[in-house]
Amino acid sequence: MIHVKDVTKDFGDGNVLNDINLTFNDHEITVIMGPSGSGKSTLLRCLNYLEVPTNGTITVQDTVLKEDPKVLESVRKKVAMVFQSFYLFNHLTALKNCTLAPRRVLKLSDTDALNRAEDSLSEVGMAAFKNRKPSHLSGGQKQRVAIARSLAMHPDVLLFDEPTSALDPENVGEVLQTMTSLAKKKMTMIIVTHEMQFAKRIADRVIFMDQGSVIEDRPAKDFFAAPASKKAQAFLAHLG
Amino acid sequence: MTFLGRLWTLFVSGYPLLLEGLQTTLLLAVIGTIAGLFIALLLITVQSFHVMPGEPLVTRASKRLSARLSKIYVAFFRGTPMLVQAMVFYYGLNQMGVRIGFFAAGLIVVSLNTAAYLTEVLKAGLNSLDVGQTEASLSLGMSHFQTYVRVLLPQALKNMVPAIGNELIVNIKDTAVLSVIGVGELFYMGRAIASTTYRYTEAFILVSLVYLVTVLIAVEVLKRVAALFGKEAPRLTSQSEGLV
Ligand SMILES: Nc1ncnc2c1ncn2[C@@H]1O[C@H](COP(=O)(O)OP(=O)(O)OP(=O)(O)O)[C@@H](O)[C@H]1O
Ligand SMILES: [Mg+2]
């Protein structure tokens, strides 16, 4: 469970997030949508303190986040993040990308870390590529390895920031499919995406943001059937 | 006798000295570069410590102080000629009563110099990495130090293989200045041959040729080493000289 209470974020020239209050429940799949610059990434990055809120508190499974390495390390190992540009560790093979944190953070033995990494890579269909370096993988393959790297931590929550936006159109499907199968296992997922069909298929709940505020927060069915705000209506019409 | 004839005669009579000088030059350059790399790792590491507001004051203060000292070190060694450093070091130590040989003094000066230069190269290498590498690592629960050691440093080091090679070549040549504190390297031996035979031009041309052949061989070797890391080796062109 993640609580966001009275969170604002100001990068120096005005608020990027205005007084956000949200609760993310376990086993719930939340999709965050909204126009470019509305603060979706900033909100997501506040949830694991890659971005430190200017005001307000974030609570993850009863731990209040603060800028203390021990607190952040213990929370981050339970809250994994998948980035738009993958950010695989370029000097490591797919397998080692997946064993690094289990070994160094969770202190697993080499064999345990290896088993986990192989399981995770199988889960995203990348087991056959385990010995490849990122430079020898396509965008879709990189993103699937990045997802496996997160899964190997056995996290409670998965955060996705536009995981398919940097991909060639032909690679989008494989990543969405991977995410759909995770969704079926009822993992807790918070996903920023512009993929409307995908969102309709897997979201339990939709949060619509505009100019740093949450302007809709409703069950996905209701949202897609009839968005309440003019902004969201226009946004959905635009996405088609 | 022709000029070439005189050159050859000088080579035949002087080659034991030249060989000894070359050996010293290579020892200084190779050991100095390797030692310099290790010192540079230390210097850049203390500059890379991440200061967090949640840490105790003592921790934060000592991190800031060591980073500051490391930067002063680099500024000093990059901002003064190696020749002058060698003088200060050699005479300074002897005045303080620390007896230290020519070779040891030379080796230390080369290492300390190389360290300053490679620290800057490493810093540039670290800065050139995408912040996403750091964010991905932190988001997995890795500490700043683990991120630095396991994620950032290996990538920066791999990228700097050509620069390390470049520094080795610079050191082969620049150790010539150590002759002024009496280090018996190649140039020193050349001077010895010149002053005993009075064949100054021939002696120094001979020394140049030995340097040139050595550097060309070193470039070839480095090319193979760099290929192992999938990198382009330093070349003897204006581009690599730009780094000097
Ligand atoms: N590090 C930063 N420094 C200053 N301004 C920032 C920073 N990060 C984000 N912003 C600003 O905050 C606003 C919200 O950015 P954010 O990336 O959260 O939007 P977004 O909804 O994710 O947009 P997109 O759909 O384009 O990814 C933007 O106006 C952006 O310019
Ligand atoms: Mg964004």
Side-chain angles (χ1 to χ4, degrees):
Chain A
M1 197 120 103
I2 300 181
H3 287 288
V4 179
K5 190 165 183 301
D6 302 331
V7 163
T8 61
K9 178 66 185 179
D10 183 351
F11 283 112
D13 46 355
N15 277 2
V16 166
L17 294 179
N18 302 313
D19 195 29
I20 306 282
N21 285 283
L22 290 167
T23 299
F24 296 98
N25 300 310
D26 291 343
H27 310 298
E28 188 176 61
I29 293 164
T30 307
V31 164
I32 303 178
M33 303 188 104
S36 179
S38 56
K40 307 180 296 293
S41 298
T42 307
L43 172 61
L44 202 68
R45 290 160 56 83
C46 282
L47 301 183
N48 64 356
Y49 252 46
L50 279 186
E51 218 69 82
V52 179
T54 311
N55 288 302
T57 51
I58 310 273
T59 313
V60 177
Q61 331 275 47
D62 301 325
T63 307
V64 178
L65 302 199
K66 56 178 180 182
E67 276 184 282
D68 172 331
K70 287 285 151 289
V71 171
L72 292 185
E73 284 156 30
S74 73
V75 166
R76 284 170 178 165
K77 66 187 180 193
K78 295 183 290 190
V79 181
M81 186 170 232
V82 174
F83 300 84
Q84 181 173 343
S85 309
F86 334 124
Y87 299 142
L88 287 181
F89 305 131
N90 294 316
H91 60 305
L92 300 177
T93 60
L95 188 66
K96 290 207 165 128
N97 263 277
C98 298
T99 55
L100 182 65
R103 286 178 60 205
R104 303 294 162 189
V105 178
L106 305 178
K107 316 279 182 208
L108 296 188
S109 70
D110 287 1
T111 0
D112 289 347
L114 203 68
N115 288 338
R116 266 199 192 194
E118 290 190 329
D119 289 348
S120 310
L121 285 169
S122 302
E123 198 164 347
V124 301
M126 286 297 293
F129 298 87
K130 65 179 183 183
N131 292 322
R132 291 232 192 145
K133 290 272 182 74
S135 55
H136 290 88
L137 296 172
S138 73
Q141 292 172 332
K142 281 186 212 175
Q143 194 60 297
R144 285 193 281 155
V145 172
I147 294 172
R149 176 175 69 179
S150 293
L151 292 177
M153 297 298 285
H154 290 184
D156 297 337
V157 183
L158 280 167
L159 309 176
F160 293 86
D161 191 1
E162 297 196 36
T164 57
S165 293
L167 298 178
D168 293 332
E170 68 267 27
N171 289 332
V172 170
E174 61 189 83
V175 172
L176 295 183
Q177 204 180 340
T178 303
M179 292 171 66
T180 305
S181 71
L182 295 177
K184 288 210 180 94
K185 294 185 185 154
K186 280 289 158 196
M187 298 214 43
T188 309
M189 295 162 82
I190 303 173
I191 307 166
V192 175
T193 184
H194 292 304
E195 296 286 340
M196 200 170 52
Q197 294 312 319
F198 166 72
K200 267 186 191 165
R201 243 186 300 123
I202 72 159
D204 297 317
R205 169 186 179 193
V206 174
I207 290 173
F208 188 82
M209 293 184 68
D210 189 42
Q211 296 182 3
S213 300
V214 171
I215 60 173
E216 289 201 43
D217 177 5
R218 298 200 295 148
K221 279 200 312 295
D222 304 352
F223 178 83
F224 288 117
S229 61
K230 284 265 180 315
K231 287 271 186 189
Q233 284 164 13
F235 183 78
L236 289 189
H238 175 72
L239 280 186
Chain B
M1 218 177 0
T2 63
F3 182 77
L4 281 179
R6 291 200 300 274
L7 212 55
W8 177 250
T9 316
L10 209 58
F11 176 71
V12 170
S13 64
Y15 87 90
L17 275 185
L18 290 174
L19 215 60
E20 193 189 324
L22 177 61
Q23 196 184 339
T24 306
T25 292
L26 285 177
L27 277 176
L28 285 169
V30 172
I31 302 177
T33 306
I34 294 171
L37 178 60
F38 281 101
I39 302 169
L41 280 172
L42 207 76
L43 289 168
I44 192 64
T45 300
V46 302
Q47 283 186 30
S48 306
F49 284 146
H50 186 85
V51 181
M52 271 211 167
E55 288 173 322
L57 185 65
V58 190
T59 315
R60 279 181 290 157
S62 45
K63 280 180 176 178
R64 290 219 172 86
L65 180 67
S66 50
R68 191 83 230 122
L69 290 176
S70 168
K71 282 179 186 155
I72 292 172
Y73 171 100
V74 172
F76 174 77
F77 277 93
R78 297 255 293 153
T80 53
M82 186 152 94
L83 175 57
V84 179
Q85 294 159 16
M87 298 289 230
V88 170
F89 201 80
Y90 181 70
Y91 290 109
L93 278 184
N94 277 297
Q95 203 169 4
M96 281 158 51
V98 183
R99 304 290 299 153
I100 180 166
F102 296 134
F103 179 80
L107 185 58
I108 292 171
V109 170
V110 176
S111 308
L112 296 183
N113 236 281
T114 304
Y117 174 80
L118 290 181
T119 301
E120 289 301 285
V121 174
L122 261 171
K123 187 192 278 179
L126 288 167
N127 287 340
S128 72
L129 299 175
D130 195 316
V131 292
Q133 295 288 312
T134 304
E135 292 190 345
S137 177
L138 293 178
S139 78
L140 290 162
M142 302 259 286
S143 68
H144 277 278
F145 190 68
Q146 285 175 322
T147 299
Y148 172 73
V149 172
R150 306 277 166 199
V151 176
L152 304 179
L153 205 50
Q155 296 188 55
L157 274 173
K158 194 178 160 199
N159 290 340
M160 77 184 276
V161 169
I164 298 171
N166 194 67
E167 184 61 4
L168 176 67
I169 286 165
V170 169
N171 281 341
I172 290 174
K173 294 182 293 181
D174 285 5
T175 44
V177 304
L178 296 175
S179 63
V180 300
I181 58 165
V183 178
E185 44 68 63
L186 187 50
F187 182 61
Y188 182 92
M189 296 307 186
R191 290 204 324 200
I193 293 173
S195 59
T196 51
T197 61
Y198 298 105
R199 296 266 180 227
Y200 288 92
T201 310
E202 291 84 348
F204 289 124
I205 287 180
L206 201 55
V207 168
S208 313
L209 288 175
V210 179
Y211 273 117
L212 182 60
V213 170
T214 308
V215 166
L216 289 177
I217 292 173
V219 166
E220 245 354 90
V221 172
L222 289 170
K223 212 184 273 176
R224 306 226 160 128
V225 174
L228 292 179
F229 290 88
K231 294 286 163 196
E232 211 178 309
R235 289 169 301 173
L236 288 182
T237 62
S238 53
Q239 196 190 346
S240 62
E241 292 294 302
L243 282 169
V244 176

